[in-house]
Every structure is written in structure tokens, then in C-alpha cells.
Amino acid sequence: MATFKTEAEFEQAFIKVLIQKGWEVEVLRNKTEAELLQNWADILFENNRQRDRLNDVPLTNSEMLQIIEQIKALKPPLKLNGFINGKTVAIKRDNPSDTDHFGKEVSLKIYDRQEIAAGQSRYQIVEQPKFERGSPLRNDRRGDVLLLINGMPVIHVELKRSGIPVSQAVNQIEKYSKEGIFSGLFSLIQVFVAMQPDEAKYFANPGLDGKFNPDYQFNWADFNNEPMNHWKDIASTLLSIPMAHQLVGFYTVADDTDGILKVMRSYQYYAANAISDKVAKTNWKQMGRSANSSDRLGGYIWHTTGSGKTMTSFKSAQLISQSRDADKVIFLMDRIELGTQSLAEYNNFAGDGEEVQATESTHVLITKLKSTDPAQTLIVSSIQKMSNIFVEVDATGTATGLAKNSADIEKIRAKRLVFIIDEAHRS
């Protein structure tokens, strides 16, 4: 096993593997924030040359400043996650060469989480980025490796040579953060990776005012939850393309409960991925023909207390919903109070324009299950309300006899329904 006597030697080997795993061959070296901002402007121009966007007229410095001001206004990584995954950013054109849009607002495409290793997605490596000093009393800083997706710095990696504990790389990231290094353009960083040749930790950016909590610093693992610590394995899996793109687009969660950005543990990633993949490969037509179809088989996940069950189930549902592989995803609880609690938790995980639907009664549940409105895809309900669908209920949800409205039941049965059952052992 190779040992690295210097950090520079480790850095070169690490970058070489990243390039083999989908990152661009041309490495950007020793770039300042201003130079990286221009790089982003160039990519934005290439991806938005259409007449209804930039009209083949490049962005000015002041137009890029408008975007930076939006980033500064959002500030916490939690809000910036929504900015990155919001797909577009609006600016007011001030380049007089764009006669069609001068003085008008235009919308620019910045990132599409569905456009993985395809279309307009760009994956650049920055070696030794220059961070300007936060105060005249401090020296300018240099990072080790910064990873850009579509020009935006989203993953920052700090490396240490063989024999130096990974905790020193974590401490360096924390020190830089306290010095205000990760501000401006660099506040877009979503995930930090601290690495030495035999161990790596990854964690979400807590923000300039946030706390670096060791409980949220994770080692990556394989599908069988066997730890993967060797640097080459990390570069080849967690930081490879498409995984790095998915990590930022799908497997970070902006949690409004405590106002922080969270990144999923490896076992949560594998669980959510397996669930959404199962639904994507389901033959719904075959299921409709045969009640005994093996495609009806689901699965189960064992979670211990505090291991992130709610986030795993929500992220699974979100992936299914966004892929349009099912018409409805129903979180099924066995107690009403659990449903109320889970509804609040799920809505705290939900992104902008995404709302988990409550079901105050069986009548409301039937209405939302029948609905074709995409906004009513994610639903929280109880086993009791679901079983009441097959009996007649009044407007308050009170059972009054066997169901007579077979048309409603047939409409619901015709849909592609996925159930995620919480606390399944109780039921």
C-alpha cells in the first residue's frame, strides 16, 4: 500500500483518480475567487446562450454580482441548497448589447440534478484554490482540492499525508470556516471531505455560524455497511461522477427542524436508492393483471433509534415522486399522533414548492388519492383511515356502512400506489 511522504504527492495521486472517475482532465490551478467567478460566468453563458435567456450576449461583472448578492442574502448552506437545486437564477440584464432584454429580468439555468454526467453538466477540479484573508491580520489561505459542478464550488476536500490523523484535516476545515474563508462564492460549498490516505470523513457544511458536530461527520461504507476508508476507494465511489452529482442533488437534506443542512449516511443512501430503484423497475401493468405478481413484493429496513429512519423514508418517497415512477406515495402510520408528528418532520425535509399532504379524515384521504394534482403526490395517513376507504364514510370520516362508491375505489386502484409503513412491527 502506497504511503505519501508529502501532501503534494497525495494531492496529485488523488486528482489523477478523480479524472479517471469522470472529472474534467483540465485542472484549474491556484485560482482566486474572482477567477472562479469568471469561470462560472463563462459556463452560465455557454449553458444559456438561447435568445430567451442571454441572447448570445455574455454576462457582465455587475450581472454576476447580482447572483453573488442573492447568495449572500441566503447565507446558510440550508438555504443555498435550495438555491443550487432550484435549477435557475434570475438576473436583471444590464449589458446594452442584449437589446432584447436590456433592463429586463431573465432566468438562467444553473444546475439540474436530473442531468447527471450528461447534457450541459460540467465537472471541474480546482487544485490549490486561493482564499483571500478574512482580515488584514491573517495570511491568505490555500485549499487543497475544490470540486465544481457547472462552475459552482460544491465539494471541498482537505488532504493530509500518511501518518497525520484525519482529525487534523477536519480541524483545518473548521479553522478556515471560523476565519470566514467559506463566504461569497465559496459559501455554495455543500459538503466537506477530510481525508488522509487511510481514512476519510465527509460532512455537510454547517455554515459560518454553524457548529462542526462530530456526530454528523461520517465514514463512507459499501452496500454491506463495511467501512471504506482507503483514499482511492473514496475517490472512486463517493467523489466519482455520477455519485458526487447525486450527493449534492439528491442526498443532501435541508432540515428546517434545526435549520441545518444534512448529508445522508452511506446506509441511508443505499436504502433510499434501493427503494426508488425497486419502484422504477416495477411492472405496473403486470401487477394489474395478477394479484399474486412477485412485483407486489416490497421490502423492509431495520433501523435502530436515532439512525435516521424518518429522513431515509422521506428521501425515498421524494426520489420516487420526483422521478414520476408512481402516482402517489403514502406514508402509513398506525397511530394518529404518529401521523401528526411525521407530517411535521416530513414537511421540514421538503424543498420549496413541495408539500406533504395531511389527511384529516377518510373523506379527505379519498379525495387526495383520486386527485391528479402533482402537488398531492406525497400523503401522510393512518392505517385506520386507509381501511375505512372500503366502508362508507360521511364528510367527517365516520364509518356508516360498507362502501357504495365503487367508482372511487376503482379510480384509486388504477393508480400506481407506493406505501411506506412506519413502525411496521407494531402493525
Side-chain angles (χ1 to χ4, degrees), residues 261-326:
L261 182 68
K262 293 177 178 175
V263 62
M264 296 181 83
R265 297 168 171 92
S266 49
Y267 60 79
Q268 291 177 300
Y269 159 73
Y270 289 119
N273 205 37
I275 292 167
S276 58
D277 189 55
K278 171 73 177 174
V279 175
K281 291 174 179 172
T282 295
N283 185 334
W284 295 94
K285 289 181 181 176
Q286 181 68 34
M287 279 176 61
R289 285 196 293 270
S290 168
N292 297 316
S293 168
S294 62
D295 257 356
R296 282 186 181 271
L297 295 174
Y300 55 84
I301 294 175
W302 278 322
H303 264 297
T304 58
T305 303
S307 57
K309 169 175 60 68
T310 306
M311 188 192 287
T312 305
S313 62
F314 176 77
K315 183 52 73 171
S316 304
Q318 191 183 48
L319 291 171
I320 294 163
S321 168
Q322 289 168 349
S323 65
R324 301 281 183 260
D325 287 325

Side-chain angles (χ1 to χ4, degrees), residues 135-150:
S135 95
L137 301 176
R138 294 196 180 109
N139 296 322
D140 288 347
R141 302 291 190 188
R142 286 200 188 198
D144 289 333
V145 177
L146 193 60
L147 301 177
L148 315 180
I149 297 182
N150 285 0

Side-chain angles (χ1 to χ4, degrees), residues 176-188:
Y176 283 179
S177 183
K178 284 178 179 170
E179 289 179 359
I181 294 295
F182 302 119
S183 58
L185 178 64
F186 301 120
S187 61
L188 288 172

Side-chain angles (χ1 to χ4, degrees), residues 30 33 176 226 234 390:
N30 306 323
E33 183 177 9
Y176 283 179
E226 292 293 329
I234 299 298
F390 297 95

